[in-house]
Amino acid sequence: MMLCGQDRETLAAYLDGEVQAEKANALEQHLRTCADCAAEVASMVSLRRAMRSARTRFIPSAEFRQKIQSQVTPKRRCFTTFGSLSVAIAALAMLVAALAWVRQNAERADAFREVADLHVSDLASANPYDVVSSDRHTVKPWFQGRIPFAFNLPEFAGTEFNLLGGRLVYLHQQPAAQVVVGMRQHKISVLVVQESGTLASAFLISSGGGVRDSFNVETWSSHGLRFFVVGDAEKAEIQRLAQALKSANE
C-alpha cells in the first residue's frame, strides 16, 4: 500500500490496461500530483522494459535449438496406412499454424504495450522532457543529430492542441522521437521512428487505430517513418491530431 492509500496492484493493473476507462483517467490525474505513485509506476515501466530487452538479448542459436530438438524428439512411429499418415500430417500442420497465430498475437500485444509504456513513463516522470517548449521551431530542431531521420510538426497555435515538449526514447531498440501534446487535461504522446522490417514484423500493422492498454492509438507509415499517436483522449481527438501530423509530413 502506498502512503496515499493507493495499492500497487491497482497501479500494475493500470499499467497493463486492465482498469476501466473512468478509473484510468482518475489514476492518470492522480499520478500528476502524487510523487510516490508516479515513482512506483516509473519503476514498473523501467523493470518491464529491462525484461523485454533481456528477453531479446539472449536468444538461443539455431544449432542449440536443433541439438535440444534432437534430444527430446521421440522416435518416429511407422504408419501402416496412407490415411493415418495424412491425418497425422494434417493435425501437425494445424497445430503449427495455431501456435504461430498465438505467438504473432502475443508479440503484437507486447509491441503495442511498449508504446503504451513510453506514454505512461512520461505521465509518471518528474522530468518528462529533454526539451521543453510550445514552439515547434524549438522542439523539432532539438532532435537533429540525435535521431537518424527528420520529421515535421504541425502548427498548433490557434488549435485545440498545445505543444509541451519532447524527448529521445528507444522503441523496439531503435532511437525514436517522443513529442508530447496537451489537450485540456490530457497528454498525448506522438512517437516517430524509422520504419524497418523488424519493426513492421513486430507490430504486424500498416495503418489504423484502436484501443491498446486503455489508450486510444493511431498509427501509420509515411516516407519511411512509423508514427504512433497514443493517449487517453477521445478517439476523435486522437484522430484529429493524427490527421494534422499526416498533413505536416506529406
Side-chain angles (χ1 to χ4, degrees), residues 152-154 207-209 218-223 227 229 238-250:
N152 293 320
L153 291 173
S207 62
E218 282 288 322
T219 181
W220 68 94
S221 181
S222 176
H223 301 291
F227 291 79
V229 180
I238 296 291
Q239 289 176 335
R240 286 198 296 273
L241 177 56
Q243 186 55 54
L245 287 158
K246 289 177 183 178
S247 299
N249 289 275
E250 287 181 344

Side-chain angles (χ1 to χ4, degrees), residues 88-145:
I89 292 175
L92 180 60
M94 291 177 63
L95 177 60
V96 170
L99 290 175
W101 182 85
V102 170
R103 180 180 179 182
Q104 286 180 345
N105 278 273
E107 289 176 348
R108 182 181 184 185
D110 191 56
F112 272 105
R113 188 166 291 118
E114 186 177 1
V115 171
D117 283 352
L118 287 171
H119 176 63
V120 171
S121 66
D122 170 77
L123 299 177
S125 176
N127 299 293
Y129 313 119
D130 294 328
V131 53
V132 181
S133 178
S134 59
D135 185 357
R136 61 174 177 159
H137 298 295
T138 299
V139 174
K140 177 188 171 183
W142 182 87
F143 287 102
Q144 293 178 0

Side-chain angles (χ1 to χ4, degrees), residues 95-224:
L95 177 60
V96 170
L99 290 175
W101 182 85
V102 170
R103 180 180 179 182
Q104 286 180 345
N105 278 273
E107 289 176 348
R108 182 181 184 185
D110 191 56
F112 272 105
R113 188 166 291 118
E114 186 177 1
V115 171
D117 283 352
L118 287 171
H119 176 63
V120 171
S121 66
D122 170 77
L123 299 177
S125 176
N127 299 293
Y129 313 119
D130 294 328
V131 53
V132 181
S133 178
S134 59
D135 185 357
R136 61 174 177 159
H137 298 295
T138 299
V139 174
K140 177 188 171 183
W142 182 87
F143 287 102
Q144 293 178 0
R146 292 180 170 89
I147 52 176
F149 57 87
F151 64 98
N152 293 320
L153 291 173
E155 179 56 67
F156 293 112
T159 72
E160 61 189 311
F161 304 106
N162 60 292
L163 183 60
L164 299 177
R167 63 173 179 166
L168 173 66
V169 296
Y170 285 84
L171 176 59
H172 207 63
Q173 301 182 16
Q174 298 183 50
Q178 181 177 10
V179 176
V180 182
V181 178
M183 197 211 69
R184 299 193 301 275
Q185 77 275 21
H186 301 287
K187 282 185 177 181
I188 305 172
S189 289
V190 176
L191 294 159
V192 190
V193 65
Q194 273 187 317
E195 187 74 280
S196 66
T198 56
L199 188 71
S201 62
F203 286 90
L204 298 173
I205 49 173
S206 56
S207 62
V211 179
R212 306 285 176 180
D213 289 358
S214 299
F215 298 114
N216 283 310
V217 180
E218 282 288 322
T219 181
W220 68 94
S221 181
S222 176
H223 301 291

